[in-house]
RNA sequence: GGGCGCGUAACUCAGCGGUAUAGAGUGCUACCCUUACAAGGUAGAGGUCAUAGGUUCAAAUCCUAUCGCGCCCACCA
């Protein structure tokens, strides 16, 4: 008993209902104890504060396609979902909420504040999960993870401990990127460099004791800087030793303007004589190059800034001013002192906080770092050996380049929301030194110890005292994300999940995240689990708006996927976005693009409706086309589609798979087979084929459009409570590929098209039937036409008057050549001889021009001897074909004269 | 300063392991509410594949250069 499919396709109702059914039947659940082969993917955990944007929609559609495809193939699939705690972003969100209540985290205290963040997480942190469900994602929600979960936190602690013990983790003074607004250090990756048009300021520094006449009548040196306010932290002036302009400064001191500090002049090859004046002010606490110089020349850095970007006590009267206000004020004072030379336009790239977009300040600070070079070695190796593959391949180079030049990773953050660094300090052992200032490199530093895992004692292991305090900082969010592929499966315990599902199979992500996440996961997997975390990395493009700008909420150019789903359905959204995304190319989106998927879903819906209407009380059996030409043809084409889709998916060519399906379903199955089926005489065979192919189409399309296919499939005859989602994936059946049937059917289609074409050209009204005559060259062609005359007559709206090898051209007719078959269409008085003459001569000219190039090609000895035989054959048969057509056209031209 | 990607029909894009008179969707034109579908059907118009060289029997496809556009990385103060 088949169910009736409603006339109208209502995606919203269907999608919500179907998803609930899947959930209820627990179809997403992966079974770690089953014997089936595993296929697993971990979700790139979205930020808990996030809402679903188009980038997520694309990313998760791709993953869902992979997972559904593999699940249908019989794999035990695990798609593990979750979110990350997004330390800075989440803290910012909650702080903003507090600000509305006129409160700050400082006056709440750490514990209360964290309580509040957890509260926020419970309330709003699930948004994106719900949205992913609405998209149709078949994740195993019972395994949803969060980077601050107990299990994952234990993994973080374990990793911290191992790195610490292996001396891959240290605390030291280095220049880091500091966000004055968030009040924390950032990693290099978290500082987004943007080109700004800034200024280059030229400033005079007096040379101590220099006589004016010494050289060029000068007693000063001019330095150039983009950040004049940093002069408050200057400790030297550096010039290149080979720069003769400055050799007179040997042994001299210069006087820092405003503060009047005495500065050394140092000579170092690092200084580029061609930049600015060739003299560099050295500010080790605020610039990485200067810091390196200071280390080399044994200079003590002077920090001139507070955490919030204001000038500190080292800045004299500028103390308390914001860095940019200080810049203005200092320039003003320099002008008054006649120490300001000039200001030039200067474009340079400036780091911005990736969370709040404030200009970051390079700043000397004591932070925790991970030594990356030792970890990168193996990460490079596995990619070079092809154990991990990037798709498209070009990203391999990007990855390797970053890995080969990797720098230490600053992992401490001066915020509260995150995994607190499990390092404790014994105030007594440190003898009054502030824990903040302690340098640590591995175990053994008196007064510094780790508290991880179960042991809860915070007594100092060195002196046994209890006057201890924990490091106030938390770890970078990525310090938990980089463990995601195994921490989510229970590591460090050897769980059944890990055994079965690790390494995972594919990682699907965006290019922006290669350094942040992909590379680090590879290193973490190899270091802690001693195995790669995944085998294939598929990098998809960035979703941009129609002007090519990256979609972002602050720009207001977002297309909200939920809105699109509301309007056209998740299936349509999925199909559209997959179709327009080719192999990692950026996607330029506009709303009208989604009509594509919507129309296709609608087409599928209606085609299915037609098929079901014809099933009546049909009991499905085994489809066999027997001698039915159309049946053999569509079965052959269907199997071709199975093959195409499979091959495309294997190659991560999702858009190719989508367009192969589109072409087959719409232009073969719907446009032709359904029309042919209406005329079929053997209803039993036809029904069988209709339903069999529809069943296959639904299976092939399920990963792309899960909802509509599931809905229709369940209404197919004999699907008693089964789910398409967990049924089988079509297998390419080579024996169904029938070239003879394909050629014959294509010839018939061409004949019908030819008749339609002529009708249209001569403005024959659709209602009027025309008479046609076929002149064939052999009995097989004659049989093909006569056996399928219904198709030709009905679809071409014509009546066949004659099929013969000797048919003569009827009077007042026009003709067309299809393969070797000549089709005459009798037009009677509709024909305009002059118009027809012109039509024919135009065509003759066109063909003759082409024939000339063809002949040239075939006359070319090199071509004939060097090109593959089949190509030459192809060209020859083309020549024959067109020569024949020209001959026919010429006869026609004669005939109408 | 390096690295990468893109310039194909009016628009948005496929095609780029060399061998179609270069494809799709949208838009456009004409006709059609033909009992699955007007979110549709039939037929059609529309392209010197950015430019210039080169390799080849053969180039949108490979190489080189140029011009546009976009992205990523980098300590030019």
């Amino acid at each position: 008993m088949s169910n009736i499919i409603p006339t109208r396709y209502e995606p919203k109702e269907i999608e919500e209902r179907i998803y609930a059914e899947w959930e209820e039947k627990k179809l997403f659940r992966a079974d770690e104890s089953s014997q089936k082969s595993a296929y697993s993917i971990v979700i790139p955990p979205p930020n808990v504060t996030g809402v679903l944007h188009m980038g997520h929609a694309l990313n998760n559609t791709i993953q869902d396609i992979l997972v559904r495809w593999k699940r249908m193939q019989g794999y035990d699939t695990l798609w593990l979902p979750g979110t990350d705690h997004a330390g800075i972003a989440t803290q910012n969100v909650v702080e903003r909420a507090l600000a509305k209540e006129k409160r700050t985290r400082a006056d709440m205290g750490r514990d209360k504040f964290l309580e509040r963040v957890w509260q926020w997480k419970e309330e709003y942190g699930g948004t994106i999960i719900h949205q992913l469900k609405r998209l149709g994602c078949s994740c195993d929600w019972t395994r949803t993870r969060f980077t601050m979960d107990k299990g994952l936190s234990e993994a973080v602690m374990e990793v911290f401990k191992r790195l610490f013990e292996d001396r891959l983790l240290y605390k030291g003074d280095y220049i880091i990127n500091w966000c004055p607004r968030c009040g924390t250090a950032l990693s290099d990756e978290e500082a987004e460099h943007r080109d700004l048009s800034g200024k280059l300021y030229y400033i005079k520094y007096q040379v101590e004791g220099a006589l004016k006449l010494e050289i060029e009548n000068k007693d000063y040196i001019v330095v150039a800087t983009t950040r004049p306010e940093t002069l408050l932290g200057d400790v030297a002036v550096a010039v290149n030793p080979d720069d003769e302009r400055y050799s007179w400064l040997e042994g001299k001191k210069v006087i820092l303007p405003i503060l009047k500090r005495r500065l050394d002049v140092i000579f170092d090859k690092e200084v580029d004589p061609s930049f600015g004046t060739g003299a560099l002010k050295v500010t080790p606490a605020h610039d990485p190059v200067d810091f390196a110089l200071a280390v080399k020349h044994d200079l003590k850095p002077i920090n001139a800034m507070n955490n919030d970007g204001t000038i500190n006590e080292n800045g004299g009267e500028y103390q308390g001013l914001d860095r940019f206000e200080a810049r203005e004020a200092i320039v003003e004072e320099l002008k008054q002192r006649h120490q300001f030379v000039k200001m030039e336009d200067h474009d340079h790239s400036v780091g911005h906080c990736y969370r709040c977009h404030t200009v970051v300040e390079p700043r000397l600070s004591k932070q925790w770092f991970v030594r990356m070079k030792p970890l990168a070695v193996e990460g490079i190796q596995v990619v070079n050996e092809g154990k991990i593959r990037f798709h498209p391949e070009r990203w391999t180079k990007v990855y390797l380049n970053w890995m080969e030049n990797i720098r230490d990773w600053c992992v401490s953050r001066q915020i509260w929301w995150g995994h607190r660094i499990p390092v404790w300090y014994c105030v007594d052992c440190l003898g009054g030194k502030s824990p903040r200032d302690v340098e640590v490199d591995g175990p053994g530093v008196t007064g510094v110890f780790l508290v991880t895992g179960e042991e809860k004692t915070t007594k100092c292991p060195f002196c046994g005292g209890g006057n201890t305090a924990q490091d106030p900082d938390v770890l970078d969010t990525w310090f938990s994300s980089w463990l995601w592929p195994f921490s989510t499966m229970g590591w460090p315990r050897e769980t059944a999940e890990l055994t079965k599902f690790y390494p995972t199979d594919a990682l699907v992500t965006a290019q922006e995240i290669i350094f942040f996440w992909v590379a680090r996961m590879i290193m973490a997997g190899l270091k802690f689990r001693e195995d790669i975390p995944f085998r294939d990395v598929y990098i998809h493009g960035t979703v941009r708006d129609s002007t090519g700008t990256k979609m972002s909420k602050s720009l207001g150019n977002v297309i909200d996927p939920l809105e699109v789903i509301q309007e056209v359905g998740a299936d349509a959204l999925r199909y559209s976005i997959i179709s327009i995304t080719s192999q990692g190319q950026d996607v330029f989106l506009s709303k009208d693009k989604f009509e594509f998927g919507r129309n296709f879903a609608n087409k599928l819906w209606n085609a299915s409706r037609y098929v079901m209407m014809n099933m009546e009380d049909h009991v499905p059996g085994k489809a066999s086309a027997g001698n039915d030409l159309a049946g053999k043809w569509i079965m052959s084409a269907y199997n071709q589609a199975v093959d195409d889709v499979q091959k495309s998916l294997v190659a991560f060519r999702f858009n190719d798979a989508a367009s192969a399906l589109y072409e087959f379903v719409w232009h073969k199955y719907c446009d032709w087979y359904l029309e042919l089926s209406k005329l079929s005489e053997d209803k039993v065979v036809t029904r069988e084929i209709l339903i069999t192919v529809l069943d296959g189409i639904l299976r092939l399309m399920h990963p792309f459009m899960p909802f509509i296919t599931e809905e229709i499939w369940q209404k197919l005859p004999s699907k008693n409570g089964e789910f398409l989602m967990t049924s089988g994936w079509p297998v390419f059946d080579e024996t169904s590929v029938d070239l003879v049937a394909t050629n014959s059917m294509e010839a018939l289609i061409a004949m019908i098209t030819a008749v339609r074409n002529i009708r249209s050209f001569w403005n024959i009204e659709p209602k009027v039937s025309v008479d046609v005559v076929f002149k064939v060259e052999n009995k097989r062609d004659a049989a093909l036409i006569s056996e399928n005359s219904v198709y030709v007559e009905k679809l071409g709206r014509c009546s066949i008057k004659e099929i013969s090898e000797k048919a003569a051209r009827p009077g007042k007719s026009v003709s067309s050549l299809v393969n070797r078959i000549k089709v005459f269409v009798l037009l009677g008085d509709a024909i305009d001889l002059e118009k027809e003459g012109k039509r024919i001569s135009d065509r003759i000219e066109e063909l003759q021009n082409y024939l000339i190039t063809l002949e040239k090609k075939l006359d070319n000895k090199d071509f004939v001897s060097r090109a593959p035989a089949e190509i030459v054959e192809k060209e020859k048969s083309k020549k024959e074909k067109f020569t024949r057509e020209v001959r026919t056209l010429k006869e026609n031209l004669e005939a109408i004269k």
Side-chain angles (χ1 to χ4, degrees):
Chain A
M1 204 38 135
S2 34
N3 298 300
I4 300 300
I5 296 183
T7 317
R8 269 195 72 81
Y9 164 54
E10 304 283 0
K12 192 173 180 294
E13 185 276 323
I14 295 169
E15 293 176 357
E16 283 170 5
R17 176 166 44 78
I18 291 283
Y19 202 89
E21 280 179 38
W22 288 333
E23 274 203 301
E24 197 204 324
K25 299 282 182 204
K26 302 188 175 16
L27 299 187
F28 303 139
R29 173 91 190 149
D31 182 0
E32 71 279 7
S33 60
S34 92
Q35 295 303 303
K36 289 194 282 180
S37 355
Y39 183 84
S40 61
I41 295 188
V42 291
I43 208 163
N47 171 339
V48 259
T49 67
V51 290
L52 194 80
H53 59 243
M54 276 299 170
H56 290 128
L58 171 62
N59 178 258
N60 288 289
T61 299
I62 292 171
Q63 293 181 74
D64 199 41
I65 287 171
L66 288 172
V67 167
R68 286 182 185 272
W69 169 53
K70 288 290 173 179
R71 187 184 290 117
M72 287 176 79
Q73 283 187 318
Y75 287 84
D76 208 324
T77 53
L78 167 63
W79 184 13
L80 199 149
T83 48
D84 75 39
H85 65 278
I88 299 172
T90 310
Q91 176 157 325
N92 284 349
V93 168
V94 176
E95 283 193 283
R96 239 176 282 138
L98 284 178
K100 282 188 190 149
E101 304 163 18
K102 302 237 182 317
R103 291 207 286 171
T104 65
R105 69 174 156 122
D107 52 55
M108 271 182 104
R110 188 162 189 149
D111 292 343
K112 279 265 179 286
F113 178 74
L114 287 179
E115 220 171 88
R116 177 71 185 255
V117 181
W118 274 109
Q119 221 176 62
W120 182 90
K121 189 257 167 185
E122 293 311 321
E123 202 166 336
Y124 302 105
T127 310
I128 200 146
I129 298 288
H130 289 118
Q131 293 174 327
L132 288 173
K133 290 184 177 183
R134 192 59 193 81
L135 223 210
C137 296
S138 59
C139 301
D140 183 350
W141 301 108
T142 63
R143 292 178 208 266
T144 305
R145 296 287 185 267
F146 179 55
T147 45
M148 291 280 281
D149 280 351
K150 186 162 176 284
L152 275 73
S153 299
E154 279 169 17
V156 168
M157 291 302 122
E158 175 68 21
V159 161
F160 191 97
K161 190 175 158 195
R162 290 197 194 181
L163 288 174
F164 186 77
E165 283 166 357
D166 290 350
R167 292 187 185 278
L168 289 171
L169 193 59
Y170 63 92
K171 185 184 181 190
D173 267 320
Y174 292 91
I175 295 280
I176 45 84
N177 299 291
W178 182 269
C179 175
R181 206 219 57 84
C182 299
T184 180
L186 301 171
S187 65
D188 293 335
E189 290 66 41
E190 287 169 318
E192 287 177 345
H193 286 265
R194 270 186 253 154
D195 284 339
L196 293 185
S197 45
K199 303 281 181 205
L200 191 58
Y201 302 83
Y202 289 76
I203 303 165
K204 282 183 194 172
Y205 283 36
Q206 292 299 135
V207 176
E208 188 184 52
L211 294 173
K212 268 202 173 188
L213 293 172
E214 193 153 357
I215 186 162
E216 286 179 21
N217 205 21
K218 276 184 195 163
D219 59 358
Y220 57 85
I221 176 170
V222 176
V223 300
T225 178
T226 52
R227 293 181 295 157
E229 70 279 11
T230 62
L231 71 78
L232 301 171
D234 281 4
V235 298
V237 166
V239 295
N240 192 298
D242 300 332
D243 194 337
E244 288 172 8
R245 290 174 296 175
Y246 298 119
S247 50
W248 65 284
L249 289 167
E250 184 87 50
K252 296 271 196 303
K253 298 263 183 195
V254 296
I255 309 296
L256 178 65
I258 301 173
L259 294 180
K260 305 276 191 279
R261 196 183 290 143
R262 291 177 76 228
L263 308 178
D264 289 339
V265 177
I266 59 173
F267 294 82
D268 199 292
K269 290 224 184 273
E270 288 299 303
V271 181
D272 175 5
S274 65
F275 186 88
T277 60
L280 165 71
K281 62 190 252 334
V282 181
T283 323
H286 297 280
D287 187 280
V289 177
D290 296 11
F291 179 73
L293 283 173
V295 170
K296 211 158 140 192
H297 295 270
D298 202 22
L299 299 163
K300 197 165 177 297
I302 296 171
N303 189 335
M305 245 177 251
N306 294 313
N307 289 354
D308 61 358
T310 56
I311 304 301
N312 68 11
E313 67 282 2
N314 290 327
E317 58 185 287
Y318 291 100
Q319 179 171 3
L321 273 189
D322 172 76
R323 54 189 167 149
F324 297 121
E325 289 166 12
R327 178 178 298 176
E328 302 274 311
I330 285 172
V331 167
E332 201 43 48
E333 181 170 351
L334 288 171
K335 280 181 182 163
Q336 280 170 16
R337 291 171 176 270
H338 305 290
Q339 286 188 296
F340 185 81
V341 182
K342 62 175 175 178
M343 187 169 81
E344 278 176 356
D345 288 337
H346 179 69
D347 295 341
H348 59 148
S349 92
V350 178
H352 293 72
C353 172
Y354 85 138
R355 287 301 182 206
C356 74
H357 311 295
T358 303
V359 172
V360 298
E361 201 62 34
R363 180 168 185 255
L364 185 64
S365 178
K366 211 159 253 139
Q367 301 287 344
W368 288 94
F369 294 88
V370 179
R371 284 202 174 88
M372 299 306 279
K373 278 215 179 344
L375 295 175
V377 175
E378 247 194 298
I380 292 169
Q381 204 181 330
V382 290
V383 169
N384 277 332
E385 287 169 356
K387 288 181 183 154
I388 296 178
R389 275 206 188 84
F390 284 85
H391 311 269
E393 213 186 329
R394 66 187 137 95
W395 296 108
T396 312
K397 220 168 131 185
V398 176
Y399 167 85
L400 287 174
N401 186 47
W402 187 79
M403 290 287 275
E404 277 155 10
N405 297 296
I406 199 160
R407 289 183 297 164
D408 286 356
W409 174 17
C410 174
V411 292
S412 45
R413 298 287 176 274
Q414 287 65 50
I415 56 172
W416 288 349
W417 176 239
H419 299 101
R420 191 156 172 187
I421 291 176
V423 173
W424 288 67
Y425 304 90
C426 172
V427 179
D428 298 335
C429 287
L430 292 180
K433 200 173 178 188
S434 159
R436 191 90 274 154
D437 297 332
V438 181
E439 297 214 5
V440 186
D441 192 352
V445 180
T446 308
V448 179
F449 59 100
L450 255 51
V451 180
T452 61
E454 292 306 303
E455 83 278 28
K456 283 283 172 271
T457 172
T458 54
K459 275 214 175 92
C460 174
F462 298 92
C463 70
N467 194 8
T468 59
Q470 187 174 5
D471 195 302
D473 292 352
V474 301
L475 290 161
D476 182 4
T477 302
W478 299 100
F479 194 89
S480 43
S481 303
W482 76 326
L483 315 175
W484 188 257
F486 51 88
S487 64
T488 51
M489 296 189 197
W491 189 90
R493 278 166 296 118
E494 183 58 41
T495 59
E497 281 96 333
L498 270 177
T499 314
K500 173 143 192 172
F501 295 114
Y502 191 95
T504 67
D505 292 273
L507 178 81
V508 178
T509 193
Q511 60 186 72
E512 298 99 82
I513 230 81
I514 295 178
F515 308 138
F516 270 117
W517 196 51
V518 180
R520 287 173 183 162
M521 275 194 291
I522 292 173
M523 290 184 274
L526 291 166
K527 169 77 181 164
F528 305 112
R529 186 91 214 316
E530 285 153 22
D531 200 354
I532 52 171
F534 32 72
R535 298 175 236 273
D536 291 296
V537 180
Y538 179 76
I539 306 285
H540 60 248
T542 307
V543 178
R544 297 172 190 284
D545 71 7
S546 45
T547 65
T549 318
K550 189 173 161 183
M551 285 200 181
S552 80
K553 226 188 338 190
S554 52
L555 291 173
N557 61 349
V558 285
I559 298 175
D560 179 2
L562 270 296
E563 217 172 274
V564 174
I565 288 173
Q566 195 67 25
E567 283 167 28
V568 298
D571 284 329
L573 165 72
R574 293 167 60 121
Y575 207 84
S576 305
I577 202 160
I578 287 302
S579 298
I580 60 177
T581 311
S582 70
Q583 278 263 303
Q585 218 53 263
D586 285 355
V587 190
F588 291 71
L589 261 192
S590 58
K591 235 171 164 178
D592 53 350
K593 297 258 164 81
F594 296 102
E595 285 174 19
F596 179 75
R598 179 199 59 178
N599 293 354
F600 189 39
N602 191 245
K603 190 75 181 175
L604 180 65
W605 183 261
N606 284 299
S608 306
R609 223 155 56 79
Y610 164 79
V611 173
M612 298 299 286
M613 283 162 71
N614 282 282
M615 285 307 122
E616 295 163 10
D617 52 354
H618 176 78
V619 178
K622 206 162 181 276
S624 163
N627 284 322
D628 182 51
L629 175 65
K632 283 196 275 191
W633 166 73
I634 199 69
M635 287 302 288
S636 178
Y638 163 69
N639 271 284
Q640 205 56 63
V642 171
D643 195 34
D644 288 348
V645 170
Q646 178 69 15
K647 282 182 176 150
S648 299
L649 287 178
V650 167
F652 294 95
R653 302 188 66 107
F654 303 101
N655 64 319
D656 284 355
S659 56
L661 277 169
Y662 186 91
E663 168 66 22
F664 173 71
V665 173
W666 199 310
H667 297 306
K668 290 208 166 83
Y669 187 68
C670 294
D671 285 353
W672 286 99
Y673 190 70
L674 294 196
E675 294 308 320
L676 294 168
S677 77
K678 293 173 186 172
L679 309 168
S680 145
E681 278 152 19
D682 190 339
K683 290 292 179 201
V684 178
V685 168
T686 302
R687 275 185 201 143
E688 208 56 64
I689 306 243
L690 274 173
I691 198 81
T692 305
V693 176
L694 177 62
D695 183 297
I697 285 171
L698 293 169
R699 288 170 196 267
L700 287 177
M701 286 188 50
H702 182 257
F704 301 86
M705 291 189 162
F707 297 109
I708 187 175
T709 51
E710 181 74 80
E711 170 75 2
I712 298 168
W713 193 81
Q714 289 189 13
K715 291 180 192 279
L716 257 39
S718 320
K719 306 292 185 198
N720 302 319
E722 288 171 78
F723 282 85
L724 173 58
M725 181 182 152
T726 46
S727 69
W729 180 252
V731 179
F732 174 51
D733 172 17
E734 216 175 333
T735 63
S736 287
V737 175
D738 189 332
L739 287 178
V740 177
T742 301
N743 285 337
S744 301
M745 195 64 229
E746 278 172 5
L748 280 172
I749 288 174
M751 280 182 256
I752 294 164
T753 307
V755 174
R756 284 172 172 174
N757 186 321
I758 289 168
R759 293 181 56 102
S760 169
F761 186 83
W762 292 100
N763 296 323
I764 309 292
E765 282 193 42
K767 282 165 205 142
V768 179
S769 174
V770 290
D771 290 343
V772 295
V773 168
F774 289 95
K775 182 169 191 282
V776 294
E777 283 193 1
N778 56 50
K779 292 202 172 64
R780 258 191 36 215
D781 286 347
L784 175 68
I785 300 167
S786 60
E787 282 165 19
N788 296 286
S789 57
V790 198
Y791 295 152
V792 179
E793 291 191 321
K794 294 282 184 193
L795 298 178
R797 297 253 171 159
C798 61
S799 151
I800 300 173
K801 292 297 165 201
E802 189 186 353
I803 307 167
S804 101
E805 289 170 57
K806 299 191 196 74
R809 177 196 182 83
K812 294 201 172 178
S813 70
V814 294
S815 73
S816 188
L817 194 68
V818 176
N819 297 346
R820 288 155 193 281
I821 303 163
K822 218 183 270 185
V823 187
F824 294 103
V825 178
L826 283 79
L827 291 172
D829 293 333
I831 193 167
D832 172 337
L833 293 182
E834 207 173 309
K835 189 179 166 192
E836 175 65 358
K838 179 144 184 359
R839 187 176 78 107
I840 296 173
S841 10
D842 285 355
R843 178 70 181 151
I844 289 174
E845 200 188 323
E846 191 186 327
L847 282 176
Q848 274 176 338
N849 283 337
Y850 181 56
L851 276 169
I852 289 167
T853 63
L854 262 183
E855 266 158 31
K856 260 189 205 155
K857 201 169 182 181
L858 285 163
D859 283 346
N860 187 331
K861 278 185 209 120
D862 287 326
F863 172 69
V864 179
S865 60
R866 304 187 47 184
E870 50 179 280
I871 302 292
V872 178
E873 274 316 302
K874 212 168 165 183
E875 296 298 290
K876 275 187 187 163
S877 67
K878 246 198 265 177
K879 185 189 159 190
E880 254 176 65
K881 185 179 156 194
F882 290 121
T883 311
R884 205 181 313 125
E885 192 174 339
V886 169
R887 204 189 312 130
T888 311
L889 286 168
K890 282 184 174 163
E891 285 168 22
N892 291 349
L893 203 55
E894 278 306 305
I896 60 170
K897 269 178 188 167

